[in-house]
Amino acid sequence: MDLSPLLDSLNDAQRQAVAAPLKPTLVLAGAGSGKTRVLTHRVAWLVQVENVSPHSILAVTFTNKAAGEMRSRIEAMLSLPAAPLWVGTFHGIAHRLLRMHWREAGLPQAFQILDAEDQQRSVRKLIKSLNLDEARWVPKEVTWFINAQKDEGLRPKHLKADGDPTREQLIRLYAAYQESSDRAGVIDFAELLLRVYELWRDNPDLAAHYRARFRHVLVDEFQDTNTVQYKWLREVTGSTGIPFVVGDDDQSIYGWRGAKIENLHQFRRDYPDVQMFRLEQNYRSTGNILAAANGLIAQNSGRLGKNLWTSGEKGEPVRLYSAYNERDEANFVVERIREWTSKGGNRRDCAILYRSNAQSRAFEEAMLAARMPYRVYGGLRYFERAEIKDALAYLRLMFNRADDASFERVVNLPTRGIGNKTLDTVRDYARANACPLWQAAGATLTQLGVKAGTSLHAFLALIERLDKETQGLALHEQVDRVIEQSGVIAHHQKEKGERGEARVENLEELVSAARGFDTEETGDMSPLAAFLSHAVLESGEGQADQWEDSVQMMTLHSAKGLEFPLVFLCGLEEGLFPHQRSATDPARLEEERRLCYVGLTRAMQKLYLTYAEQRRLHGVDSYGSPSRFIRELPAETLEEVRPRIQVSRPVFVPRKPMMEEEPVAGVKLGQRVRHGKFGDGIVLELEGQGSHARVHVNFERQGAKWLMLAYANLEPL
Ligand code: ATP
Ligand code: MG
């Protein structure tokens, strides 16, 4: 066979997989062994060597980020645009197919997609409209049930209650939800996949067309396919298509969403002539990182088993940092990244990984304070929604008239007859006089036509009035007043259909968010100012642009398939990771362990693990112990960054010049102190200094606790 230069950069095992005969293929291999590399090379091989038309290739992967990377790698190898090639996520491809075949799929042409939040809202509405008790029929759980059925390829008519009244009600809710979604012409994520499966199943001609077309179907991260995705694969390959799937049973992390490791076995049964390849050499990580990961995953039972090795250097030990709290953890990470960049490293090569989205918050705050560009990867968040941004823009402008971006956003929203021509006059004036748009608007009023001038004047007056009239009101009253009087609510009430309703509900939720906003910790800031900066963080507006060199932040789930020279795996505490829900269920615990394995194996050169002794998450303090996963790592691969300070000493250390941090005065051994949450107690020990100073207090009601002096706000009594 022609030894194409395509194969030069591969090892023997990889080469065999890439150049394998055109038969169903399964590549089963550990992290970083080149599965994705093999898959992309296989595509190039098919086109260049086997003369397969790019038209007949369908390549599927899990995240948009991975799909984008795959596309560009293939384009580079083939030195042609990969346009005729279908590369995408299961959802993306399903969407594309449904747009093309909406009629056959029984959808209106303009069908809309519901994201996870929209879906839950719609379920909640349904529950309300049926007069069911929301406490008993929790919208989130009902949504979960519906999606789980869809992931299994099941419609209400396939389900049996078997005399279980709860299940019976859930099935009824599923049916009602589906009816109302169909009527409204909206489809949720799980529906996308199920619809395409049904589309092919129920339209044999169409299925035959796609079977003839997509002879080659390649799937990355195969271990995380769910039942309906697998059925889909079976439909499109039929008896003639040639699947090429790659995966790693140790990285299956979507069991909670219906993914089935068993699909790996099923695949071997369904394609009896399958050819199997194993890759065992890891090219990504240093010896230490790999040994740590191997040691961890060895604790799982029922693995297919593999022996992953590297010929690379042993590298540095994996570093473990025990932080006092989440802020200390974040500062530690920021300092390490500073070190990295000061030695010439790129920020984009640093990744901060965590179990739950809410953890990003402390890191974002630390990076904003350190002016370190960062990006958080994840779904559309509440504060990113357009209507919420509109409402916030009003609030911002009230707070700060010089906020030009907010001015631009709402000056003509809702429409009040302020056109682009008027705005151009204002913008020109602002530019010429280097002043904010607000000021320019005031100054140009007389130069404008009567109509435009009146409209603009009314807008300025509105903001002034809102500001004046809401002074002294509680935060949520302020917000309520603003969304009413600005006309934003009325604007969306006029909008027809689901979208408009959803927007109005979202705006109403903003009032609740303001009511629930913890103004306790705002310090000198006014509650409104604190709320606005909270919203900036929540909306990710502090984030760097896509092209800027920035630190990468994401959940462990979204890190799948990616790699970074420097990785921080954070929040390794019992209850957080492994997640509380999983601690008592052995199967779920193993899934958490695989998730940890995924995290460890993202690291190429340096890996830090961190945990916090005290953590505030969702406004609640918790005191977790270090995650069991830390104990499960081979000790010889680990090194503690800062062994505990052994000496206790008073914190009245002489103040160091140039140090920002002052020792917290007024607290000494034996002193009685008062804490906002824990009440009164006596200081038993003091240790560390500056921002690291800690205090051990025996509280009368809560017992002894270690606290960070800088954050504890202890009041000497
Ligand atoms: P994961 O399980 O995390 O998805 P993977 O098995 O898909 O990992 P890849 O991402 O394809 O692994 O490869 C891991 C890294 O090793 C990449 O940087 C890749 O370029 C590199 N690599 C893979 N094979 C080779 C090789 N033969 N020579 C040099 N580098 C390689
Ligand atoms: Mg991969």
Side-chain angles (χ1 to χ4, degrees):
M1 182 166 283
D2 167 30
L3 262 193
S4 154
L6 258 181
L7 301 180
D8 288 354
S9 63
L10 302 172
N11 67 28
D12 273 350
Q14 293 172 332
R15 213 173 284 158
Q16 279 174 22
V18 168
L22 303 187
K23 293 202 307 176
T25 308
L26 170 61
V27 179
L28 190 61
S33 59
K35 293 183 296 300
T36 303
R37 188 177 175 108
V38 161
L39 191 141
T40 45
H41 278 72
R42 173 72 169 185
V43 171
W45 175 267
L46 289 174
V47 175
Q48 281 192 343
V49 181
E50 301 282 0
N51 291 317
V52 166
S53 156
H55 224 70
S56 56
I57 297 176
L58 174 64
V60 190
T61 173
F62 253 76
T63 61
N64 290 324
K65 197 163 159 50
E69 266 167 35
M70 187 178 285
R71 177 174 283 278
S72 57
R73 280 199 220 172
I74 294 172
E75 283 179 357
M77 265 186 287
L78 293 178
S79 22
L80 52 87
L85 221 99
W86 278 40
V87 182
T89 62
F90 274 108
H91 289 100
I93 287 167
H95 182 219
R96 187 166 172 182
L97 286 164
L98 291 178
R99 285 278 170 228
M100 291 164 64
H101 304 292
W102 51 273
R103 218 185 299 262
E104 294 91 328
L107 291 167
Q109 186 169 16
F111 72 86
Q112 295 282 327
I113 297 181
L114 289 184
D115 67 17
E117 276 178 59
D118 293 333
Q119 185 188 17
Q120 203 168 306
R121 187 176 311 101
S122 156
V123 168
R124 168 173 293 132
K125 226 165 59 193
L126 187 74
I127 293 171
K128 267 199 197 137
S129 73
L130 295 173
N131 283 325
L132 294 171
D133 178 8
E134 258 193 63
R136 168 94 171 79
W137 305 100
V138 182
K140 192 169 174 180
E141 287 166 11
V142 175
T143 310
W144 191 271
F145 173 83
I146 293 172
N147 289 342
Q149 308 314 315
K150 292 189 177 187
D151 287 344
E152 286 297 308
L154 301 171
R155 292 297 185 188
K157 63 173 186 231
H158 300 126
L159 301 172
K160 291 212 176 61
D162 292 328
D164 176 347
T166 305
R167 190 169 158 83
E168 198 178 317
Q169 182 64 276
L170 285 170
I171 297 171
R172 239 182 276 137
L173 281 167
Y174 176 12
Y177 165 79
Q178 199 54 46
E179 234 178 84
S180 87
S181 303
D182 289 347
R183 220 177 315 119
V186 294
I187 72 181
D188 55 67
F189 287 153
E191 183 75 16
L192 277 173
L193 302 177
L194 180 50
R195 275 288 165 125
V196 170
Y197 164 64
E198 292 173 344
L199 174 72
W200 282 336
R201 189 197 57 193
D202 302 339
N203 297 274
D205 292 350
L206 202 65
H209 166 80
Y210 279 104
R211 259 179 225 150
R213 170 167 178 184
F214 293 128
R215 287 292 310 288
H216 297 274
V217 183
L218 300 93
V219 184
D220 199 358
E221 310 276 8
F222 181 72
Q223 75 280 356
D224 275 327
T225 49
N226 62 26
T227 301
V228 75
Q229 286 164 336
Y230 186 71
K231 285 185 171 189
W232 214 94
L233 177 72
R234 292 283 296 149
E235 274 301 323
V236 73
T237 51
S239 55
T240 50
I242 304 171
F244 186 99
V245 308
V246 310
D248 177 7
D249 58 308
D250 288 334
Q251 294 186 71
S252 161
I253 54 177
Y254 280 100
W256 57 284
R257 239 165 55 179
K260 294 266 160 46
I261 305 191
E262 297 93 80
N263 285 344
L264 281 168
H265 305 294
Q266 191 60 39
F267 186 82
R268 289 158 76 176
R269 283 195 291 275
D270 287 339
Y271 300 92
D273 60 338
V274 64
Q275 44 188 349
M276 294 261 301
F277 295 92
R278 285 178 187 274
L279 313 173
E280 304 207 307
Q281 183 170 1
N282 173 295
Y283 288 90
R284 178 179 294 150
S285 310
T286 63
N288 264 319
I289 293 171
L290 194 60
N294 282 342
L296 178 87
I297 201 65
Q299 319 273 329
N300 269 7
S301 60
R303 303 171 55 217
L304 295 174
K306 52 186 88 79
N307 174 27
L308 209 52
W309 58 277
T310 172
S311 66
E313 307 216 333
K314 204 160 161 230
E316 298 171 21
V318 176
R319 301 253 154 71
L320 177 66
Y321 180 69
S322 145
Y324 300 122
N325 59 17
E326 78 283 355
R327 282 180 267 183
D328 181 32
E329 178 182 56
N331 288 334
F332 172 79
V333 169
V334 166
E335 279 168 38
R336 297 289 82 68
I337 296 176
R338 275 231 181 91
E339 250 168 52
W340 171 266
T341 51
S342 72
K343 289 178 190 151
N346 292 317
R347 281 187 289 266
R348 77 178 78 87
D349 291 336
C350 309
I352 304 176
L353 310 180
Y354 36 79
R355 177 68 181 83
S356 99
N357 272 311
Q359 283 169 261
S360 74
R361 192 51 191 283
F363 294 105
E364 289 189 69
E365 275 172 14
M367 282 191 262
L368 281 174
R371 295 178 186 278
M372 183 178 278
Y374 67 90
R375 272 195 80 76
V376 181
Y377 290 85
L380 189 72
R381 289 182 287 180
Y382 174 72
F383 282 95
E384 285 170 44
R385 293 167 178 261
E387 63 279 11
I388 298 300
K389 288 185 148 185
D390 298 340
L392 290 171
Y394 273 100
L395 289 162
R396 289 218 174 90
L397 202 55
M398 284 160 52
F399 182 72
N400 170 18
R401 305 285 195 279
D403 187 336
D404 283 351
S406 296
F407 182 96
E408 289 265 8
R409 189 169 184 107
V410 296
V411 63
N412 197 33
L413 191 143
T415 341
R416 38 175 83 86
I418 303 175
N420 241 332
K421 221 176 113 226
T422 308
L423 284 176
D424 276 342
T425 314
V426 175
R427 290 185 194 116
D428 288 346
Y429 183 95
R431 220 171 294 127
N433 295 279
C435 71
L437 291 169
W438 176 270
Q439 204 178 318
T444 48
L445 279 179
T446 50
Q447 301 169 27
L448 301 169
V450 180
K451 210 165 143 259
T454 316
S455 306
L456 191 57
H457 180 257
F459 173 70
L460 300 181
L462 169 71
I463 301 291
E464 293 286 3
R465 198 181 67 234
L466 281 173
D467 186 14
K468 200 142 90 237
E469 290 179 0
T470 59
Q471 295 283 343
L473 291 184
L475 181 60
H476 69 273
E477 292 168 336
Q478 265 178 317
V479 174
D480 195 20
R481 193 69 74 89
V482 167
I483 58 176
E484 288 288 344
Q485 300 199 355
S486 64
V488 174
I489 280 250
H491 173 68
H492 291 301
Q493 273 163 345
K494 269 187 265 159
E495 206 176 326
K496 279 199 207 72
E498 288 265 322
R499 290 271 139 173
E501 276 176 47
R503 294 211 157 110
V504 171
E505 281 174 27
N506 265 333
L507 286 165
E508 283 160 358
E509 263 177 53
L510 187 64
V511 181
S512 331
R515 189 181 286 120
F517 182 64
D518 187 1
T519 45
E520 229 174 65
E521 290 191 12
T522 55
D524 298 339
M525 269 193 254
S526 73
L528 179 58
F531 185 65
L532 289 173
S533 54
H534 162 83
V536 167
L537 281 178
E538 288 290 321
S539 68
E541 275 178 34
Q543 292 196 37
D545 289 325
Q546 219 157 356
W547 35 265
E548 196 174 349
D549 181 30
S550 50
V551 176
Q552 314 280 299
M553 293 171 48
M554 65 198 85
T555 62
L556 287 155
H557 280 99
S558 29
K560 198 165 73 154
L562 307 178
E563 60 189 19
F564 305 91
L566 172 57
V567 168
F568 299 89
L569 185 46
C570 302
L572 278 161
E573 293 132 47
E574 281 295 304
L576 186 56
F577 191 34
H579 200 279
Q580 204 176 340
R581 280 195 305 259
S582 326
T584 51
D585 178 343
R588 293 177 100 169
L589 185 62
E590 294 213 337
E591 179 150 310
E592 292 284 293
R593 193 176 282 114
R594 291 194 293 271
L595 188 58
C596 187
Y597 175 76
V598 167
L600 299 173
T601 53
R602 299 309 95 199
M604 301 164 80
Q605 296 162 24
K606 272 172 184 277
L607 173 61
Y608 285 93
L609 312 178
T610 65
Y611 64 94
E613 292 170 20
Q614 175 185 351
R615 178 178 301 276
R616 165 161 279 221
L617 204 62
H618 309 297
V620 180
D621 287 315
S622 59
Y623 301 84
S625 48
S627 167
R628 71 190 75 193
F629 298 148
I630 296 176
R631 279 197 310 274
E632 292 173 358
L633 301 176
E636 67 278 9
T637 63
L638 266 188
E639 185 182 286
E640 277 223 53
V641 174
R642 183 176 50 82
R644 295 274 167 76
I645 303 158
Q646 298 297 329
V647 212
S648 293
R649 62 181 155 200
V651 278
F652 294 115
V653 285
R655 194 195 287 192
K656 283 195 195 134
M658 308 299 293
M659 253 177 63
E660 287 175 352
E661 37 195 39
E662 287 182 26
V664 180
V667 175
K668 42 184 183 262
L669 291 182
Q671 160 114 48
R672 279 183 64 77
V673 291
R674 179 166 296 162
H675 182 269
K677 284 232 158 68
F678 304 135
D680 296 354
I682 292 189
V683 176
L684 300 178
E685 276 175 278
L686 290 154
E687 63 170 44
Q689 38 183 287
S691 66
H692 282 172
R694 299 202 303 160
V695 56
H696 197 189
V697 183
N698 191 16
F699 290 103
E700 282 157 15
R701 268 167 299 152
Q702 311 267 343
K705 290 195 190 307
W706 277 104
L707 301 172
M708 289 272 321
L709 203 41
Y711 305 118
N713 287 328
L714 292 177
E715 181 191 337
L717 293 175

